Amino acid sequence: MDLLKSAPLRFLLLLTSSWLVIFLLTRSVLLITHLDEAGSHFLPLFGIGVLYDLGFLAYAALPLGLYLLLCPPGLWRRKGHRWFLQGLLCVSLFAMLFTAVAEWLFWDEFGVRFNFIAVDYLVYSDEVLNNLLESYPIGTLLSILAVLAIALSLALRKLFNAALDAPLPALRGRLVGALGLALLAGASLQLLSQDSPRAQGGNAYQNELASNGPYQFFAAFRNNELDYPQFYRSLPAPIVARQLRDELSEPNARFIGNDPLDIRRVIDNPGTLRKANIILVTIESFSAKYMGSNGDERNLTPNLDALRKQSLYFNNFYATGTRTDRGLEAITLAIPPTPGRSIVKRVGRESGFASLGQQLSAIGYDSVFVYGGRGYFDNMNAFFGGNGYRVVDQSSVEESQIHFKNAWGMADEDLYQQTLKLADADYEKQQPFLLQLMTTSNHRPYTYPDDRIDIKSGKGRDGAVKYTDYAIGQFLEAARQKPWFDNTIFVFVADHTAGSAGKEDLPITNYQIPLFIYGPKLIEARETAQLASQIDLAPTLLGLLNLDYQSTFFGRNLLQDNPLPPRVVVGNYQHLGLFDGQDLAILSPRQGLRRHDQALGDSRESQAEASDPLVTRAITYYQAASYGFKQQLLGWKPAPKASVEISVR
């Protein structure tokens, strides 16, 4: 008897074919709604997509296929087992329809199919589930999907009956079929990966559409960290060491490490140490494009537009990544985005670094990470607690002091009220402070207290942006009445932009964020077009304090005259880039090297060689950062007491 015509495999083919059709429809809908971004010549993506679809089905169908083939004939012929398989078909259709809708929502948020971000969302299910419940009519949506699944299973009733009425194979045939399924799954494991057979470079939307969301989701469990030497192009250590000196040799820096790739150096900032307070506000998902002073006509940011004129404002400033943990990593550790997970989320390896907070705690500052949400999210508590900070988050605040909260945390105005209390307490103790904040209000579901602004809560990003601006205005107005205000530096910077997806793997314009450094008694107000990155913020702040210290920062003091070549580093979970203000070099897995000339304009993509000076610079930053992390060269080493005493005179 032909094994493929047997009841178990006919039922398995019915189920997997249904899944395959849903995958095709999902890809088609995503393509149709993004035709402008996907461009032309997109038909091949369906062929590549089928390979990914079949690869996922080879995994997903294996357990069920083994059960069907090894099910005893007596159990198979029972009426109850037939109803069980009918229910299984219906449930599987519901699961695939739910996955298709989830992919649509994920694509709307990030512009990609599932990746390790989706895995993180599963880990932090409480926040994510509450966010979904507050953002979408989940009950109605699930009901519609359930009705569709039942309707589809009934529509397939004839094929279902025909499959189950087919003859059962002999034991030998069933064993051969089980072995074949196992071999097929094994072959899929060996032949497919997250980045192949998709091409390196090209249209990023097409590359994402060609993949399979569920496949990407499960692959992310295995590939949430990527070993740099294994996946990316490296250069000989002497070449990287020379280039590192060219990138990091500020006039007041002296390298002291023995390893050629050790960037540890002594920074001798001129002038007398001034222990000014620092309040560093990291704003959730705030793109520079929302500001009225940048041309937006919706009047969403009147307070920040006014603050721009009163601050040292950087109008050519870039985030290193696309997620909050990447922004916090860059701002706190001044390190480029190493591939895969950020250091913040590398559980067990997230502490002991020479962070901004650690540097200031060593000279008597109260370094506090103040978060509007719950600090276990994204491993923030462990990261900041292990790197020189004490942590104050939503769980540290009495419910009576929280006037509004949503899935992600308390409203920004409540966060700022807690900040004022912390600053007051430190002032009473005559202790300088670093209060490093992370806001939450500018995030889906975009809800905030009523009667604050003229846009109703929960109506979209515009309202969240305007409320974010409102809360900042109220905070600064209250801070100006405090006795510690004149000796305080206020920093407002975004963790990342509101949307970083584009036709390219690293659309550089979508990484631009604002940076305000405000201190009327301490800093001259002016605007600068200097090309700068989040990794430059920590050394710039320590430079403002005239602090001498041992640095493991890849960033540089933006206020110091030096001949260092301009650059920013940007990345996502796979692709790593270096932008010099005009052109962009991109490093990709499987040793991929590309460059985009005129990256802010027509962005002409071409393949590149490691000898290309721009590519060499990119490799240097990422190879050295990954090496330093792996070899524990970026750890905190307190300076001898005598040297600290000399530095504060």
Side-chain angles (χ1 to χ4, degrees):
M1 183 190 64
D2 188 349
L3 183 62
L4 291 177
K5 295 181 180 179
S6 66
L9 288 188
R10 286 188 64 174
F11 175 76
L12 187 63
L13 286 172
L14 172 64
L15 189 144
T16 54
S17 297
S18 301
W19 289 2
L20 196 62
V21 171
I22 293 174
F23 292 155
L24 174 64
L25 291 175
T26 301
R27 183 174 292 111
S28 299
V29 169
L30 291 176
L31 173 62
I32 291 170
T33 55
H34 293 81
L35 277 176
D36 290 341
E37 295 92 342
S40 57
H41 306 296
F42 50 76
L43 290 180
L45 69 84
F46 283 94
I48 297 174
V50 168
L51 290 178
Y52 275 101
D53 295 343
L54 294 176
F56 170 75
L57 291 176
Y59 295 132
L62 180 60
L64 177 60
L66 293 178
Y67 168 77
L68 295 173
L69 287 166
L70 300 179
C71 180
L75 175 61
W76 181 271
R77 295 189 179 95
R78 290 184 180 178
K79 187 176 181 180
H81 188 257
R82 194 181 190 98
W83 280 107
F84 166 73
L85 293 180
Q86 178 72 64
L88 184 64
L89 174 63
C90 185
V91 170
S92 70
L93 289 171
F94 176 83
M96 285 298 103
L97 290 170
F98 178 84
T99 301
V101 173
E103 274 210 80
W104 167 261
L105 297 178
F106 190 82
W107 181 282
D108 185 55
E109 183 82 12
F110 298 104
V112 296
R113 305 296 285 262
F114 288 147
N115 56 26
F116 79 97
I117 298 174
V119 175
D120 290 341
Y121 272 20
L122 182 65
V123 172
Y124 300 107
S125 56
D126 186 39
E127 283 84 354
V128 175
L129 178 60
N130 288 333
N131 180 35
L132 290 173
L133 291 174
E134 294 175 12
S135 302
Y136 305 101
I138 295 299
T140 302
L141 188 59
L142 292 179
S143 299
I144 293 173
L145 294 180
V147 170
L148 282 175
I150 293 171
L152 286 173
S153 64
L154 291 176
L156 295 172
R157 183 73 176 171
K158 184 176 180 180
L159 293 175
F160 172 82
N161 288 330
L164 265 66
D165 291 338
L168 291 173
L171 177 61
R172 180 178 179 180
R174 286 186 280 136
L175 292 175
V176 169
L179 178 61
L181 288 177
L183 291 175
L184 185 62
S188 177
L189 179 66
Q190 294 298 317
L191 297 176
L192 285 179
S193 68
Q194 277 183 291
D195 61 306
S196 65
R198 294 178 297 167
Q200 295 284 349
N203 187 301
Y205 278 98
Q206 290 193 15
N207 291 339
E208 288 297 330
L209 287 167
S211 49
N212 173 281
Y215 176 91
Q216 292 290 99
F217 180 81
F218 288 104
F221 275 103
R222 294 186 291 113
N223 295 327
N224 54 31
E225 290 186 27
L226 298 175
D227 182 62
Y228 184 90
Q230 178 181 355
F231 289 95
Y232 295 85
R233 185 65 178 270
S234 297
L235 288 170
I239 294 176
V240 174
R242 286 195 299 271
Q243 188 67 44
L244 270 177
R245 298 307 191 268
D246 291 341
E247 299 291 335
L248 303 178
S249 292
E250 298 176 273
N252 60 335
R254 175 171 55 87
F255 284 82
I256 59 174
N258 295 321
D259 190 309
L261 300 188
D262 188 352
I263 68 166
R264 190 178 298 274
R265 57 212 187 275
V266 172
I267 304 294
D268 182 13
N269 281 310
T272 302
L273 177 70
R274 56 178 182 181
K275 289 192 175 181
N277 308 306
I278 298 174
I279 297 180
L280 195 172
V281 181
T282 311
I283 307 171
E284 172 69 48
S285 306
F286 192 84
S287 303
K289 66 182 180 181
Y290 290 121
M291 294 177 59
S293 55
N294 283 332
D296 191 287
E297 298 179 351
R298 292 169 292 179
N299 193 34
L300 300 178
T301 60
N303 293 297
L304 287 174
D305 291 332
L307 184 65
R308 177 174 183 167
K309 299 176 182 178
Q310 304 163 18
S311 304
L312 170 59
Y313 180 78
F314 290 81
N315 63 25
N316 200 15
F317 191 78
Y318 291 82
T320 63
T322 61
R323 298 206 65 209
T324 295
D325 54 294
R326 279 299 186 195
L328 293 176
E329 171 191 69
I331 291 168
T332 307
L333 303 182
I335 187 173
T338 50
R341 283 180 179 264
S342 69
I343 291 173
V344 175
K345 298 170 69 172
R346 296 189 182 186
V347 178
R349 295 180 290 162
E350 74 278 72
S351 60
F353 293 94
S355 67
L356 173 62
Q358 194 72 272
Q359 297 285 1
L360 292 178
S361 293
I363 60 169
Y365 274 67
D366 182 23
S367 297
V368 190
F369 174 63
V370 194
Y371 180 42
R374 290 164 290 272
Y376 67 82
F377 184 79
D378 272 357
N379 203 41
M380 293 183 198
N381 281 349
F383 172 75
F384 283 98
N387 288 298
Y389 295 79
R390 65 185 179 96
V391 177
V392 174
D393 66 355
Q394 181 181 330
S395 61
S396 310
V397 180
E398 295 180 8
E399 284 294 323
S400 61
Q401 298 179 26
I402 300 176
H403 300 92
F404 182 91
K405 63 181 179 180
N406 61 22
W408 294 107
M410 56 182 150
D412 286 0
E413 62 189 72
D414 290 328
L415 175 68
Y416 291 133
Q417 283 298 317
Q418 296 304 314
T419 302
L420 293 171
K421 292 179 180 180
L422 291 168
D424 288 343
D426 281 335
Y427 179 77
E428 287 295 321
K429 294 184 295 184
Q430 297 186 331
Q431 183 177 14
F433 52 80
L434 163 66
L435 304 181
Q436 186 168 334
L437 283 61
M438 182 67 232
T439 73
T440 60
S441 290
N442 191 30
H443 192 294
R444 194 184 301 274
Y446 310 127
T447 54
Y448 40 82
D450 293 330
D451 303 321
R452 300 300 195 269
I453 59 172
D454 57 1
I455 301 176
K456 189 176 180 180
S457 172
K459 292 300 182 181
R461 174 79 71 177
D462 288 1
V465 169
K466 192 162 190 175
Y467 173 73
T468 294
D469 178 83
Y470 163 86
I472 289 172
Q474 295 296 305
F475 171 56
L476 288 176
E477 183 177 339
R480 291 185 183 105
Q481 313 307 315
K482 298 293 185 178
W484 42 261
F485 175 80
D486 286 347
N487 192 41
T488 300
I489 298 170
F490 295 83
V491 181
F492 294 93
V493 64
D495 58 348
H496 56 83
T497 61
S500 57
K503 295 181 181 179
E504 302 161 3
D505 290 317
L506 298 176
I508 190 65
T509 55
N510 291 353
Y511 284 76
Q512 188 173 7
I513 57 174
L515 170 62
F516 306 77
I517 302 179
Y518 171 66
K521 301 291 185 180
L522 303 173
I523 301 166
E524 178 186 358
R526 62 184 177 89
E527 187 159 328
T528 174
Q530 181 180 5
L531 185 67
S533 168
Q534 284 174 322
I535 67 173
D536 300 320
L537 183 52
T540 299
L541 291 176
L542 297 183
L544 278 169
L545 302 181
N546 301 325
L547 175 65
D548 299 340
Y549 64 102
Q550 279 192 25
S551 174
T552 58
F553 296 155
F554 282 79
R556 57 185 64 157
N557 183 352
L558 298 173
L559 305 181
Q560 184 178 56
D561 292 332
N562 60 62
L564 300 181
R567 57 86 191 102
V568 295
V569 287
V570 298
N572 55 30
Y573 68 103
Q574 283 190 324
H575 304 288
L576 311 171
L578 184 140
F579 176 59
D580 66 0
Q582 178 172 316
D583 304 322
L584 171 70
I586 299 179
L587 315 181
S588 298
R590 295 190 295 148
Q591 318 294 318
L593 301 176
R594 286 171 286 149
R595 62 177 293 148
H596 286 257
D597 296 325
Q598 300 298 323
L600 293 176
D602 55 5
S603 193
R604 300 183 300 275
E605 181 182 278
S606 61
Q607 299 301 309
E609 300 294 333
S611 57
D612 182 318
L614 185 64
V615 175
T616 299
R617 295 181 67 195
I619 293 174
T620 294
Y621 272 94
Y622 294 108
Q623 183 177 334
S626 297
Y627 180 86
F629 173 77
K630 197 170 186 178
Q631 300 299 320
Q632 300 181 336
L633 300 178
L634 307 176
W636 168 246
K637 294 181 180 179
K641 186 176 180 182
S643 65
V644 173
E645 291 175 349
I646 292 172
S647 70
V648 300
R649 288 177 183 171

